[in-house]
Amino acid sequence: MNASPFSSLSADHQRLQALVGAWRGEEEVSGTQWTDAGTATSEVLAEAQFGGLFVVQRYRQRRDGTVSFGAHNVFGFDQQSGAVTMHQFDSMGFVPASPATGTWDGNRLTLLRSSPRGAARVSYDFDGSDSYRMRLQFQPVGSDGWQEMVSGLYRRVPPSAIGEG
């Protein structure tokens, strides 16, 4: 099966390429029912797959020198709905019933996903081609307010700088 070259991708698929690369982040983690407040470092490795139709992202968060959270995200663009999609599988072990969906507003990609536990909202703000900011919020079922979960600044690094552990 031959994959399409990036130049033949729709403009919406091309926008996903902003996520591609190796990134290192400094994060602020809020205290929640799942973790204590504090700081963390993270590594993100994202690659274009299937000719750029999807971006597969591996995320690892470290606190006190050990991996404290990991996720495998698959980003795509659903042409029928006009929405960016993100399927996330993570070390919390919750199986997603459906992907997060969202749209671009300028240089910000915001995605929303609902589950029996509540709603999660994540935004990626691109400050250019070499850095972005991520913010994750959670709204428990029955609540009108959003709780801060994690926010961070991520800078591009050489892929060889990303560890395998």
Side-chain angles (χ1 to χ4, degrees):
M1 176 176 182
N2 291 330
S4 301
F6 291 151
S7 62
S8 68
L9 293 174
S10 72
D12 295 299
H13 284 100
Q14 288 181 24
R15 290 205 73 183
L16 292 177
Q17 306 314 302
L19 295 159
V20 172
W23 309 86
R24 183 162 288 130
E26 299 295 325
E27 300 177 334
E28 290 295 325
V29 180
S30 299
T32 67
Q33 62 266 41
W34 295 291
T35 192
D36 294 328
T39 60
T41 59
S42 61
E43 294 179 337
V44 181
L45 184 60
E47 299 177 327
Q49 297 287 313
F50 305 110
L53 292 173
F54 296 93
V55 173
V56 176
Q57 183 186 68
R58 185 192 77 203
Y59 167 90
R60 288 199 180 128
Q61 180 189 79
R62 284 186 166 75
R63 295 178 84 176
D64 301 320
T66 35
V67 175
S68 54
F69 181 78
H72 189 87
N73 302 318
V74 180
F75 294 86
F77 180 74
D78 182 355
Q79 292 182 351
Q80 289 183 334
S81 68
V84 174
T85 61
M86 179 183 75
H87 292 79
Q88 182 177 51
F89 306 92
D90 62 39
S91 58
M92 298 290 284
F94 299 122
V95 176
S98 60
T101 59
T103 58
W104 289 93
D105 181 11
N107 290 329
R108 174 183 288 173
L109 172 60
T110 302
L111 300 148
L112 183 66
R113 181 178 53 119
S114 295
S115 76
R117 291 166 302 287
R121 178 170 61 194
V122 62
S123 63
Y124 297 88
D125 287 294
F126 290 87
D127 301 328
S129 62
D130 291 328
S131 67
Y132 69 88
R133 296 176 186 280
M134 185 274 300
R135 180 179 183 197
L136 174 63
Q137 298 172 299
F138 181 70
Q139 183 181 51
V141 168
S143 172
D144 291 332
W146 289 92
Q147 302 172 356
E148 295 297 324
M149 299 282 289
V150 178
S151 63
L153 173 62
Y154 306 81
R155 289 182 165 68
R156 189 177 298 279
V157 297
S160 62
I162 301 297
E164 290 298 317

